[in-house]
Amino acid sequence: MLVAAAVCPCPPLLVPEVAAGAAPELDGARAACKDALGVLAAARPDRLVVVGPAGEGEEGTYAEGARGSFRGFGVDVVVRLGAGGTAQERELPPSLAVAAWLLERTRWACAPVEGMGVPELLTPERCAEVGAGLAAQAGRTALLVMGDASACRSVKAPGYLDERAAGFDAEVARALGAADVTALRSLDPALAHELRARGRVPWQILAGAAEGVRLSGSLLYDEAPYGVGYVVAAWS
């Protein structure tokens, strides 16, 4: 049963060593992520599943102890998913590496951790099935859901300016803050892809896991630095 969820963005820039001199610009986002993880800890889950977007060859599950790094972003920072387990041969995708960094930063030791890298074009129907499967497993399950909103909020954004982006992000923030499962399920995959919203699949997996569960939501952060929408929310 799903007992709590935290929704966090997954830009490697959350890691100060990657952001370098620009690190203070995301202090608010880091603080909000820490608060969201505190909600997960307070729920006393039996296990934590981290869900994040993954590229080709990175999809699938990652056991506790899996390692990731930010060497591809120019810094020699290595992270580990959870405190136990053993290292796996393949590295965590960047979204799960960011999650591992957040968990290390908050010294997570409340429950075993596992990761799930999901394809960015997974259908809403399949997302619902995956989420329901996570929630159906025995014990109290918490989710750490990683993903960004649109990357088209300004002319300097990775996807340039798209007039649809602000409205899309506003609805995402509202739905995540209200734990509105129906609204999350209704997000348009095609529009999300055009706006480069990498969080769509993880959010819809969360919606599938929360179906029939009465959780309340809280919006902790909603900004668009660098023209990319970053949302932090907590469900409990």
Side-chain angles (χ1 to χ4, degrees), residues 9 16 31 92 102 104 122 131 138 143 147 166-167 171 178 181 198 215:
L92 297 168
L102 289 172
E104 287 185 358
L122 209 63
L143 295 182
E171 173 59 11
V181 170
R198 301 180 68 232
L215 297 180

Short mmCIF file of all heavy atoms in Angstrom, two decimals, residues 9 16 31 92 102 104 122 131 138 143 147 166-167 171 178 181 198 215:
data_model
loop_
_atom_site.label_atom_id
_atom_site.label_comp_id
_atom_site.label_asym_id
_atom_site.label_seq_id
_atom_site.Cartn_x
_atom_site.Cartn_y
_atom_site.Cartn_z
N PRO A 9 12.34 17.43 -8.60
CA PRO A 9 12.94 17.55 -9.93
C PRO A 9 14.25 16.77 -9.98
O PRO A 9 14.80 16.39 -8.94
CB PRO A 9 13.17 19.06 -10.06
CG PRO A 9 13.37 19.52 -8.65
CD PRO A 9 12.48 18.65 -7.80
N PRO A 16 25.55 20.59 -5.86
CA PRO A 16 26.32 21.84 -5.88
C PRO A 16 27.60 21.76 -6.69
O PRO A 16 27.99 22.73 -7.35
CB PRO A 16 26.61 22.10 -4.40
CG PRO A 16 25.46 21.45 -3.68
CD PRO A 16 25.17 20.21 -4.48
N ALA A 31 16.19 22.78 -0.45
CA ALA A 31 15.52 22.81 0.85
C ALA A 31 14.14 22.16 0.76
O ALA A 31 13.73 21.41 1.66
CB ALA A 31 15.40 24.25 1.34
N LEU A 92 23.51 4.00 -12.22
CA LEU A 92 22.19 4.64 -12.17
C LEU A 92 22.06 5.67 -13.29
O LEU A 92 23.02 6.38 -13.60
CB LEU A 92 22.00 5.35 -10.83
CG LEU A 92 22.02 4.51 -9.56
CD1 LEU A 92 22.13 5.42 -8.34
CD2 LEU A 92 20.77 3.65 -9.47
N LEU A 102 20.19 13.12 -3.11
CA LEU A 102 19.26 13.70 -2.14
C LEU A 102 19.12 12.81 -0.90
O LEU A 102 19.09 13.30 0.23
CB LEU A 102 17.88 13.88 -2.79
CG LEU A 102 17.75 14.98 -3.85
CD1 LEU A 102 16.39 14.90 -4.53
CD2 LEU A 102 17.96 16.36 -3.23
N GLU A 104 21.33 10.64 0.25
CA GLU A 104 22.58 10.72 1.02
C GLU A 104 22.63 12.02 1.82
O GLU A 104 23.06 12.05 2.98
CB GLU A 104 23.78 10.63 0.09
CG GLU A 104 24.03 9.24 -0.47
CD GLU A 104 25.31 9.17 -1.29
OE1 GLU A 104 25.99 10.23 -1.46
OE2 GLU A 104 25.66 8.07 -1.75
N LEU A 122 6.49 6.01 -22.10
CA LEU A 122 5.56 5.00 -21.61
C LEU A 122 4.13 5.54 -21.68
O LEU A 122 3.88 6.70 -21.35
CB LEU A 122 5.91 4.65 -20.17
CG LEU A 122 5.59 3.24 -19.66
CD1 LEU A 122 6.39 2.21 -20.44
CD2 LEU A 122 5.88 3.14 -18.17
N GLY A 131 2.30 1.64 -11.64
CA GLY A 131 2.02 2.23 -10.33
C GLY A 131 1.18 1.32 -9.47
O GLY A 131 1.47 1.13 -8.27
N ALA A 138 3.42 -6.17 -0.90
CA ALA A 138 3.20 -6.23 0.55
C ALA A 138 3.95 -5.12 1.27
O ALA A 138 5.04 -4.70 0.85
CB ALA A 138 3.63 -7.59 1.08
N LEU A 143 7.08 6.35 -2.26
CA LEU A 143 7.68 6.63 -3.57
C LEU A 143 8.42 7.96 -3.54
O LEU A 143 7.92 8.95 -3.01
CB LEU A 143 6.60 6.69 -4.65
CG LEU A 143 5.82 5.42 -4.98
CD1 LEU A 143 4.84 5.68 -6.12
CD2 LEU A 143 6.75 4.27 -5.34
N GLY A 147 11.41 13.95 -11.58
CA GLY A 147 11.07 14.38 -12.93
C GLY A 147 10.85 15.87 -13.03
O GLY A 147 10.36 16.50 -12.08
N ALA A 166 3.80 27.34 -19.82
CA ALA A 166 3.40 27.89 -18.52
C ALA A 166 2.09 27.28 -18.04
O ALA A 166 1.95 26.93 -16.87
CB ALA A 166 3.28 29.41 -18.61
N GLY A 167 1.12 27.15 -18.94
CA GLY A 167 -0.16 26.55 -18.56
C GLY A 167 -0.02 25.08 -18.19
O GLY A 167 -0.65 24.61 -17.23
N GLU A 171 -0.75 23.50 -14.34
CA GLU A 171 -1.67 22.40 -14.05
C GLU A 171 -0.94 21.25 -13.36
O GLU A 171 -1.48 20.63 -12.44
CB GLU A 171 -2.32 21.92 -15.34
CG GLU A 171 -3.18 20.67 -15.20
CD GLU A 171 -4.33 20.83 -14.20
OE1 GLU A 171 -4.61 21.96 -13.75
OE2 GLU A 171 -4.94 19.80 -13.85
N ALA A 178 -2.22 19.10 -4.98
CA ALA A 178 -3.52 18.66 -4.48
C ALA A 178 -3.67 17.15 -4.44
O ALA A 178 -4.74 16.65 -4.08
CB ALA A 178 -4.62 19.25 -5.37
N VAL A 181 -5.10 12.73 -8.52
CA VAL A 181 -4.75 11.57 -9.33
C VAL A 181 -5.39 11.65 -10.72
O VAL A 181 -4.75 11.34 -11.73
CB VAL A 181 -5.18 10.28 -8.60
CG1 VAL A 181 -5.05 9.06 -9.51
CG2 VAL A 181 -4.34 10.08 -7.33
N ARG A 198 9.99 15.76 -18.69
CA ARG A 198 10.47 14.41 -18.42
C ARG A 198 9.80 13.78 -17.20
O ARG A 198 9.98 12.60 -16.92
CB ARG A 198 11.98 14.42 -18.24
CG ARG A 198 12.74 14.95 -19.44
CD ARG A 198 14.23 14.95 -19.23
NE ARG A 198 14.75 13.60 -19.17
CZ ARG A 198 15.53 13.16 -18.19
NH1 ARG A 198 15.84 13.95 -17.18
NH2 ARG A 198 15.99 11.92 -18.21
N LEU A 215 -4.70 10.24 0.00
CA LEU A 215 -3.52 10.97 0.45
C LEU A 215 -3.75 12.46 0.20
O LEU A 215 -4.40 12.84 -0.78
CB LEU A 215 -2.27 10.51 -0.31
CG LEU A 215 -1.84 9.06 -0.13
CD1 LEU A 215 -0.59 8.78 -0.96
CD2 LEU A 215 -1.56 8.75 1.34
#
